Amino acid sequence: MASSSSSFSSPSSLLKFILTLVLVLDYYYYVVVSHVHGGGGGGGYGGGGGGGGEQPLSKIAIHRAIYSLHHSASITASPLLLGTNGEDAEWITVELNYPEPSEDDWVGIFSPAKFNSSACPPNDDPRQQAPFICSAPIKYKYANDSSSEYKKTGNASLRFRLINQRADFSFALFSGGLSNPKVVAISSVVNFANPKAPLYPRLSQAKSWDEMTVTWTSGYNIIEAVPLVMWGLSGEHQTLSPAGTLTFHRNSMCGPPAQTVGWRDPGFIHTSFLKDLWPNSVYTYKLGHRLFNGSYIWSKIYSFKSSPYPGQDSLQQVVIFGDMGKAERDGSNEYSNYQPGSLNTTDQLIKDLDNIDIVFHIGDITYANGYISQWDQFTSQVEPIASTVPYMIASELHLLNLSCSGNHERDSPGTGSFYDVNDSGGECGVLAETMFYVPAENRAKFWYSTDYGMFHFCIADTEHDWREGTEQYRFIENCFASVDRQKQPWLIFAAHRVLGYSSGSYYGLEGSFEEPMGRESLQKLWQKYKVDIAFYGHVHNYERTCPIYQNQCVNTERSHYSGTVNGTIHVVVGGGGSHLSDFSALQTSWSLYRDLDYGFVKLTASNHSSLLFEYKKSSDGLVHDSFSISRDYRDVLACVHDGCEPVTLAS
C-alpha cells in the first residue's frame, strides 16, 4: 500500500486547521443546533447572543395532538365574561378534575376558542392527513402548578391572566405531556365584552422633532369603522386626527411556525401622526373608531410630554436596553426559564416613568419566534411605558421607547437579511415593521436618526450590511456629519449586534471580540465624528469599555471624562430580560466593567456640558456602574488622531 503524505506542511498549519475546525463546530452548535432544534437562543454569528433559551410554545408538539375526551374529566373557567368595566386584562380561575392525573398534564389557552381541525387552513395535498389541532395555545401551565397534590387527587385550581386579543378563549386540559398531547376536557368559551376595542398604544417620535406618532391595535377593519385619535394640550381644546391602517396575513410570513402552528390573526394596526407639537408640553389623547352608524368607540385617556426643541437646554433622560422579551405575570409558559428578567426590567421602568423621557429598545423585542400571539402580550406588557413616552425600536425590531430591530424579528433565509438563518421563526421582520413605527425612510431597512433635545441618535440595522460602500454606511456617516454639536453635543450610536467591543464568550472564542466584520469599517467614523457612546444588545449581559480607538484605550479615567473627545465608549446593554450570556475567560484591557445580570442604562443630560451615565440592575433599580462627562463645545472641535477636519494654509 502506498504511503500517504501529510497535508500539513508544519505544526503551525496543523494547529491553524484544528482551531478553524473548532470554530466551525462551535458555529454549527450555536447557530444550527440551538436555532433549528431549540427555537431561539444561540449566540455569535446569527445567533441570539445567549446560550440556552427556547420559545416555550415551541416545546409543544401540537401537530401530534389528538382528541381523547374523558367522560369524567372537567375544566371550568370563571368568570366567562371579562372587561365589563372597560378592562383590557383580567384574572380568571380555572378548576380541573381528572380521574387519571399525571404529573405532565397541562392546561392550554386557545384563542380563538374553536381550535379543532375545522379551523385548519385548506389542505392542498389529499394524501396528507390534516392534524386535529392546527394552532398552538397562546399560553400554558402544568396542572400541578398550584398544588403538588394534583397527581393524587386529580383536582387543581389555576389562575391565569388574560388580555384582550380580539377573539374568544377556551381552556383545554391535556394529558400525555407536551410531546404527545391528548385533549381530555375543554372549557366553556370566555369572552371580553368588546373584543375589538382599541388597545395597547405605543408612541414613537416621527421624522420631525415636533411630531409624535401613536400606533395601536384593534379588531376594527376600515370597512367597519374609521380609526382616529382625539388629542390636544392637557386641559385645552381637543382635535381629531385620522389614522392609517395596516395588517398582514398568513401568506405574508416566510415560514414555520409563523405560517403554521404559530399563526394568529394580528387584527388591525393603526398609526396616527400628531403634528405641530409645542416643545416640552403635556398632551392628552385617546384612541377611537367611528362606526358607520355614527357612534364612537373610545379607549381610556393617555398622556405624553412632547419632545424638547433640538438643542434646548433642559433636563433630558434617556433609557437604553436590548433583548428584553416578554413574560407572563401569571407564571405561565415557564417564563422564568425563557425571559427571566423581562418583568423586572418592565416594572423598574414603570416605577421610574416620571423620570424617563424616551426609551430605546435596541433589538430582540418579543422573542415571539413565529408565535404571533406573543406580540399582543408584549405590547400589553409595555403599554404603561410605551403609551407615555416614545418607545423606539432598532435594527430588527426587538422596542419610547426608541428601539432597534433584532435577529429574532428579522432573520429568515432568503429574505435579504445579512444573516441567512431562521432566528425569527418565519416572521422575517413583518411583525416588527408593522406593530411599531420607526422614522426610517424605508421600514424594511431599520436604520434611522432621531433627535431629542441635546441628543442626536444614529440607529443602525445590523441585519443589513453596514460595511463601507453600502447604502447603510453612507447613512451612518451622513447621520454623524449632519449633527450640529454646538446645539446637540451628545452624539449616540446604537445597533443590535455588537459592532464595537464585547467580551462575550462566543466573541472571545472567535477572537475579535466583535460581530464578524463589525468595527473594521465603522471605527474611523466613530473617531472622525467624535461619537460619545455606542450601544449594543444581542449579547445578554452588561459591559462598558474605556474610550477606545483601534483596540487601544485612549483615556485612563474610569468614572469621569472631561476635555477633548478622543475615542468612543462602547456599551453592551443586552441584559433586558432574556437568558444571560457568559463572558469570555480572557481578560481584555479595554473592559472596565462587566455584569452578568439584567439591567438597563439611563443617560441624563442636565445641560450642554454635563452628561451622567448610569447602569441600573432590573432586580433593585439601583445604580451599579456610572460615569460622567464634562466638556465644552471647544473640546468637540479639538483635533485628535484621525479626528481632525481637513485644513489648508489659508485657514
Side-chain angles (χ1 to χ4, degrees):
M1 186 170 77
S3 62
S4 61
S5 60
S6 172
S7 300
F8 304 104
S9 58
S10 67
S12 62
S13 61
L14 175 60
L15 179 60
K16 179 180 286 189
F17 171 79
I18 293 172
L19 289 174
T20 302
L21 181 61
V22 168
L23 286 173
V24 169
L25 291 175
D26 185 75
Y27 168 84
Y28 175 83
Y29 174 79
Y30 274 95
V31 176
V32 179
V33 176
S34 67
H35 284 86
V36 173
H37 299 290
Y45 300 92
E54 181 179 356
Q55 164 55 254
L57 297 178
S58 71
K59 300 177 182 179
I60 303 172
I62 201 67
H63 58 287
R64 296 180 185 171
I66 62 172
Y67 278 88
S68 184
L69 298 177
H70 195 288
H71 66 281
S72 297
S74 66
I75 178 169
T76 60
S78 177
L80 295 179
L81 183 63
L82 309 176
T84 54
N85 294 315
E87 302 94 337
D88 54 30
E90 284 207 52
W91 288 86
I92 193 166
T93 301
V94 176
E95 304 285 348
L96 311 178
N97 180 266
Y98 184 35
E100 301 174 13
S102 171
E103 64 183 2
D104 60 359
D105 294 346
W106 57 280
V107 173
I109 305 177
F110 289 83
S111 180
K114 184 179 180 181
F115 61 92
N116 58 31
S117 58
S118 65
C120 294
N123 180 12
D124 296 330
D125 187 354
R127 298 169 298 177
Q128 183 179 354
Q129 180 178 350
F132 290 97
I133 301 176
C134 295
S135 61
I138 62 173
K139 62 168 72 176
Y140 70 93
K141 270 188 183 182
Y142 283 102
N144 61 9
D145 181 77
S146 63
S147 173
S148 58
E149 297 296 308
Y150 170 76
K151 189 177 178 180
K152 297 178 182 179
T153 66
N155 298 314
S157 179
L158 302 176
R159 294 272 287 167
F160 287 93
R161 184 176 182 270
L162 293 184
I163 65 166
N164 190 341
Q165 291 187 259
R166 304 169 306 283
D168 50 10
F169 304 84
S170 62
F171 295 78
L173 174 61
F174 287 82
S175 65
L178 303 181
S179 301
N180 295 285
K182 300 177 182 178
V183 181
V184 297
I186 302 174
S187 76
S188 298
V189 173
V190 176
N191 277 291
F192 271 85
N194 181 10
K196 293 186 174 184
L199 296 169
Y200 318 131
R202 42 258 186 211
L203 298 169
S204 171
Q205 297 211 133
K207 293 178 182 179
S208 175
W209 71 269
D210 61 349
E211 294 183 18
M212 188 76 76
T213 69
V214 56
T215 299
W216 73 96
T217 306
S218 84
Y220 290 108
N221 195 349
I222 55 174
I223 63 174
E224 301 175 82
V226 176
L228 43 82
V229 177
M230 179 177 284
W231 64 284
L233 286 165
S234 180
E236 298 190 17
H237 174 74
Q238 306 289 289
T239 188
L240 294 177
S241 288
T245 299
L246 297 173
T247 190
F248 52 89
H249 305 282
R250 190 192 297 260
N251 60 8
S252 302
M253 303 292 95
C254 296
Q259 272 189 341
T260 55
V261 297
W263 171 254
R264 188 179 188 275
D265 191 305
F268 301 95
I269 296 88
H270 316 279
T271 298
S272 182
F273 290 78
L274 314 183
K275 300 182 178 183
D276 299 323
L277 304 177
W278 291 80
N280 266 61
S281 301
V282 175
Y283 286 81
T284 59
Y285 70 98
K286 59 181 179 179
L287 319 170
H289 294 267
R290 185 178 67 232
L291 305 181
F292 288 113
N293 64 7
S295 63
Y296 288 82
I297 302 294
W298 293 110
S299 72
K300 61 184 179 182
I301 297 175
Y302 302 90
S303 66
F304 67 86
K305 187 175 75 171
S306 57
S307 171
Y309 185 78
Q312 179 178 311
D313 201 342
S314 61
L315 182 65
Q316 296 157 19
Q317 300 166 106
V318 179
V319 164
I320 303 176
F321 60 87
D323 306 70
M324 185 170 78
K326 57 164 285 291
E328 298 292 340
R329 295 194 182 276
D330 58 16
S332 59
N333 285 20
E334 299 181 298
Y335 81 90
S336 60
N337 295 327
Y338 187 46
Q339 316 292 352
S342 177
L343 287 179
N344 281 345
T345 299
T346 301
D347 291 344
Q348 288 296 345
L349 298 184
I350 294 172
K351 184 178 179 180
D352 195 37
L353 199 53
D354 288 342
N355 301 305
I356 298 172
D357 294 313
I358 186 169
V359 175
F360 287 86
H361 185 156
I362 54 174
D364 284 359
I365 301 169
T366 66
Y367 291 89
N369 292 10
Y371 292 87
I372 310 302
S373 64
Q374 308 300 286
W375 282 86
D376 282 322
Q377 293 172 29
F378 178 83
T379 55
S380 172
Q381 177 177 315
V382 301
E383 182 203 39
I385 308 165
S387 64
T388 307
V389 300
Y391 199 99
M392 312 296 296
I393 62 173
S395 100
E396 245 320 26
L397 293 176
H398 287 8
L399 286 172
L400 289 268
N401 308 39
L402 290 178
S403 61
C404 303
S405 148
N407 48 294
H408 286 278
E409 287 80 49
R410 172 56 187 264
D411 288 357
S412 191
T415 65
S417 171
F418 196 45
Y419 298 87
D420 202 33
V421 295
N422 194 27
D423 276 354
S424 73
E427 294 177 14
C428 53
V430 173
L431 272 295
E433 294 164 12
T434 308
M435 298 292 286
F436 288 87
Y437 174 86
V438 296
E441 292 300 323
N442 181 341
R443 293 180 71 179
K445 300 172 182 177
F446 256 73
W447 55 77
Y448 63 91
S449 66
T450 193
D451 297 309
Y452 194 88
M454 294 175 285
F455 290 94
H456 183 68
F457 297 93
C458 298
I459 310 299
D461 179 353
T462 53
E463 309 314 303
H464 287 89
D465 197 345
W466 60 83
R467 292 171 296 176
E468 189 167 7
T470 63
E471 180 185 2
Q472 181 167 201
Y473 182 90
R474 291 189 293 273
F475 157 78
I476 294 171
E477 179 163 25
N478 182 66
C479 186
F480 293 160
S482 63
V483 62
D484 181 346
R485 299 296 286 275
Q486 183 178 9
K487 294 179 179 178
Q488 294 178 300
W490 312 117
L491 179 54
I492 308 298
F493 175 78
H496 176 58
R497 296 176 187 265
V498 181
L499 303 185
Y501 297 82
S502 165
S503 298
S505 58
Y506 183 83
Y507 289 146
L509 180 63
E510 196 268 339
S512 63
F513 296 100
E514 62 167 343
E515 193 70 22
M517 303 173 288
R519 60 181 176 265
E520 281 70 16
S521 293
L522 295 178
Q523 59 184 341
K524 61 184 178 183
L525 296 184
W526 297 325
Q527 184 73 355
K528 177 180 178 181
Y529 295 104
K530 301 181 175 68
V531 173
D532 292 295
I533 310 173
F535 288 95
Y536 314 100
H538 195 56
V539 178
H540 303 161
N541 55 40
Y542 169 77
E543 184 173 20
R544 169 170 69 95
T545 75
C546 59
I548 188 171
Y549 179 52
Q550 293 183 336
N551 302 313
Q552 298 295 319
C553 291
V554 296
N555 193 312
T556 59
E557 292 292 332
R558 298 178 65 93
S559 60
H560 180 71
Y561 303 99
S562 61
T564 303
V565 183
N566 186 14
T568 297
I569 297 170
H570 294 260
V571 178
V572 173
V573 63
S578 189
H579 49 275
L580 294 170
S581 306
D582 290 332
F583 288 102
S584 170
L586 298 173
Q587 296 298 314
T588 55
S589 61
W590 41 258
S591 181
L592 297 187
Y593 192 100
R594 299 179 181 183
D595 189 33
L596 189 61
D597 205 348
Y598 302 103
F600 54 92
V601 162
K602 184 176 182 180
L603 300 177
T604 302
S606 52
N607 54 50
H608 283 67
S609 300
S610 301
L611 179 68
L612 175 63
F613 173 107
E614 297 173 305
Y615 164 66
K616 298 185 177 185
K617 289 198 179 191
S618 300
S619 57
D620 57 20
L622 300 178
V623 177
H624 289 262
D625 181 35
S626 67
F627 66 86
S628 60
I629 300 176
S630 299
R631 64 153 186 262
D632 295 316
Y633 178 49
R634 64 177 179 270
D635 298 319
V636 180
L637 297 178
C639 186
V640 298
H641 180 63
D642 287 348
C644 296
E645 293 296 327
V647 297
T648 69
L649 289 176
S651 60

